[in-house]
DNA sequence: TTCCAGGTGGCAT
DNA sequence: ATGCCACATGGA
């Protein structure tokens, strides 16, 4: 176990972990959150501008305290000044102020690419509690054990090559419905893509690391186009992966909630997604994804669940 | 029972 | 390029 304390601003742990960008953090009785990311499980408790983190060190313990501190700083996107971004967005758009106020402590997590791919393929036409349940079951059945903290045990996101060898029917217990075949097929595509990469760079690196590095070198248009080639990844899921899994802060996922909130706020029809994208580009760039998350949170707070 | 959820693939225009 | 529609699952 490693203890770390970080100073945080523009940070609300509850908003960050329950706003629908991630699915593997669980709220505890004391208001802390227990969960897993980057193959580590941890508990995080916020006290004002202090964030106390307990990290379960992996058995083969490669990580030292400094690595873990850096990892969480990266994951929580602490280097970014959300205060100035909120100001920038408010000044450029008259309607987003209310949304920012309701979700003022939201930050975009820098999640692992492969976890984002898996998570958002499962997310399609699905609701958040069920998405969480499916991902948990998938990890428990096919992921490597990470440890136990606060009475909860965690398993890692399954490796691409593990899922690639399954048939969709094998995933029956996970209750993914028709998404099971998307997940298996995308895993195959990821493994194949990595196998086709120049050998040498891939030596010793896991497939999930290789695929993340591959996508990290692409710009938004390239990454978006490549993501659309994956089975079960369309425009919305591709933008979620780009935003949450690649840190491309200008990607603007449009789901049913964003359609609703933008229709209300900007007097559009819910079908006018092209107009919504245009508005996002013109007013929110280069932080469309952050603006989107404030909007998403706001509509769900006021009308959703 | 019907509707809905962080939509997409496949097919017909 | 655009418009339908089936697609599993479980909760409201």
């Amino acid at each position: 176990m490693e203890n770390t304390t970080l100073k945080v601003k523009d940070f609300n742990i509850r908003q960050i972990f329950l706003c629908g960008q991630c699915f593997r953090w669980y709220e505890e009785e004391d208001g802390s959150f227990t969960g897993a990311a980057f193959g580590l499980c941890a508990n995080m408790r916020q006290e004002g501008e202090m964030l106390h983190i307990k990290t379960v060190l992996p058995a083969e313990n490669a990580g030292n305290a400094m690595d873990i501190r850096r990892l969480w700083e990266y994951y929580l996107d602490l280097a970014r000044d959300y205060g100035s971004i909120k100001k920038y967005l408010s000044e450029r758009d008259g309607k987003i102020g209310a949304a920012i106020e309701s979700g003022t402590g939201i930050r975009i997590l820098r999640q692992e690419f492969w976890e984002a791919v898996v998570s958002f393929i499962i997310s399609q036409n699905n609701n958040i509690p069920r998405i969480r349940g499916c991902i948990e079951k998938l990890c428990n059945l096919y992921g490597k054990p990470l440890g136990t903290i606060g009475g909860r045990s965690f398993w890692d996101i399954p490796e691409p090559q593990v899922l690639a060898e399954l048939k969709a029917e094998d995933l029956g217990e996970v209750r993914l419905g028709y998404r099971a075949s998307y997940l298996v097929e995308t895993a195959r595509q990821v493994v194949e893509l990595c196998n086709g990469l120049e050998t040498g760079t891939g030596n010793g690196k896991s497939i999930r690391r290789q695929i993340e590095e591959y996508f990290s070198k692409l710009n938004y248009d390239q990454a978006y186009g490549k993501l659309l080639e994956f089975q079960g990844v369309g425009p919305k899921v591709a933008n979620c992966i780009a935003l949450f899994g690649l840190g491309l802060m200008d990607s603007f996922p449009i789901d049913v909630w964003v359609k609703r909130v933008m229709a209300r706020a900007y007097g559009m029809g819910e079908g006018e997604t092209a107009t919504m994208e245009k508005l996002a580009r013109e007013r929110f760039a280069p932080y469309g994804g952050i603006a989107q998350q404030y909007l998403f949170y706001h509509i769900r707070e006021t009308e959703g669940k």
Side-chain angles (χ1 to χ4, degrees):
Chain A
M1 185 81 76
E2 185 69 45
N3 288 301
T4 310
T5 298
L6 299 173
K7 180 104 185 294
V8 292
K9 273 186 284 190
D10 303 297
F11 190 106
N12 180 315
I13 192 169
R14 207 161 180 278
Q15 292 176 354
I16 290 167
F17 286 138
L18 298 181
C19 73
Q21 63 177 319
C22 61
F23 307 98
R24 299 204 68 198
W25 290 91
Y26 300 86
E27 188 172 29
E28 307 293 357
E29 301 278 340
D30 66 356
S32 71
F33 282 79
T34 312
F38 290 98
L40 294 174
C41 57
N43 175 266
M44 300 193 185
R45 183 170 50 85
Q46 182 179 7
E47 279 182 5
E49 295 196 336
M50 289 293 133
L51 184 70
H52 304 286
I53 307 176
K54 294 177 183 178
T55 307
V56 177
L57 294 174
E60 65 271 22
N61 187 9
N64 61 45
M66 200 54 203
D67 287 337
I68 287 177
R69 165 178 290 269
R70 284 221 190 91
L71 180 71
W72 293 129
E73 284 173 347
Y74 172 83
Y75 181 64
L76 300 165
D77 201 24
L78 295 187
R80 199 180 307 274
D81 181 358
Y82 280 72
S84 68
I85 292 171
K86 288 187 279 188
K87 189 170 169 225
Y88 170 86
L89 292 172
S90 304
E91 285 170 355
R92 293 181 55 88
D93 181 274
K95 303 285 188 166
I96 202 171
I100 291 177
E101 278 182 42
S102 78
T104 195
I106 291 174
R107 308 179 75 88
I108 304 294
L109 295 169
R110 308 289 307 263
Q111 299 180 61
E112 206 183 332
F113 175 77
W114 175 240
E115 173 167 345
V117 171
V118 171
S119 299
F120 287 96
I121 283 177
I122 292 172
S123 78
Q124 63 177 89
N125 199 32
N126 209 340
N127 59 66
I128 290 175
R130 226 178 76 77
I131 296 163
R132 293 170 65 92
C134 289
I135 293 173
E136 179 179 289
K137 186 70 110 175
L138 181 74
C139 294
N140 294 358
L141 287 174
Y142 295 99
K144 172 185 98 173
L146 298 178
T148 299
I149 181 167
R152 294 181 192 270
S153 295
F154 290 91
W155 285 262
D156 204 357
I157 295 285
E159 301 298 328
Q161 60 272 34
V162 171
L163 297 182
E165 287 173 10
L166 299 176
K167 295 185 188 297
E169 309 89 80
D170 299 332
L171 288 166
E173 199 182 337
V174 187
R175 314 303 284 164
L176 293 174
Y178 64 90
R179 308 167 195 86
S181 60
Y182 295 164
L183 189 56
V184 169
E185 182 55 29
T186 290
R188 280 199 203 105
Q189 290 176 276
V190 165
V191 171
E192 184 162 353
L193 198 162
C194 288
N195 286 340
L197 297 176
E198 300 297 326
T199 49
T201 55
N203 282 348
K205 288 180 187 163
S206 66
I207 301 260
R208 61 204 271 183
R209 181 74 185 281
Q210 289 179 48
I211 195 70
E212 177 154 350
E213 287 186 4
Y214 172 84
F215 271 90
S216 299
K217 289 172 186 155
L218 306 181
N219 65 31
Y220 171 80
D221 289 329
Q222 294 166 330
Y224 180 76
K226 203 71 191 167
L227 285 166
L228 289 182
E229 293 180 15
F230 291 146
Q231 189 73 8
V233 176
K236 190 272 177 183
V237 170
N239 275 313
C240 282
I241 297 169
L243 177 59
F244 302 123
L246 292 171
L248 294 171
M249 296 293 167
D250 212 19
S251 28
F252 195 80
I254 301 179
D255 73 327
V256 291
W257 296 103
V258 173
K259 285 176 190 170
R260 257 170 230 165
V261 67
M262 291 190 80
R264 311 267 193 297
Y266 303 101
M268 306 170 173
E270 291 190 5
E272 301 180 65
T273 54
T275 315
M276 295 176 185
E277 285 174 352
K278 184 162 176 284
L279 186 149
R281 278 198 307 276
E282 290 173 352
R283 299 199 195 171
F284 303 146
Y287 303 116
I290 299 176
Q292 182 270 4
Q293 205 54 29
Y294 293 130
L295 290 167
F296 179 81
Y297 184 85
H298 183 56
I299 184 73
R300 285 176 52 83
E301 279 299 291
T302 54
E303 293 185 30
K305 195 192 84 153

